[in-house]
Amino acid sequence: MLAGCGGDDDTGIDEPVPVNFVSASPSGGQIATNGTIRVTFDNAPDDIMVSPGTVKITDKTAAITGPFTPGKLALTITWADGTKVLNYKVTAPD
């Protein structure tokens, strides 16, 4: 009879892939009240919280849409691996 323990302890659970902020478009400056901000990550994020706005994630990009209130906007984006604040001036629609 043989008995053993140890060896390959693969539990079948994959470690999450780190997700880092890459860029935002527009890169800063101004955005219209009904505009869209696109945030790109190096890997696809599982979940993003954003304040204010509505976020839709497609692959490595999150599209954040308004309406945004005219004036200064500090948009805070939070995901599992970090937080990023983007600053814009929101302008009235054309």
Side-chain angles (χ1 to χ4, degrees), residues 13-53:
I13 300 173
D14 292 331
E15 290 293 318
V17 176
V19 177
N20 297 296
F21 174 84
V22 174
S23 64
S25 175
S27 60
Q30 295 187 351
I31 186 167
T33 58
N34 57 351
T36 299
I37 300 168
R38 297 197 193 297
V39 181
T40 303
F41 298 90
D42 62 349
N43 289 299
D46 287 332
D47 192 22
I48 294 176
M49 292 188 320
V50 63
S51 176

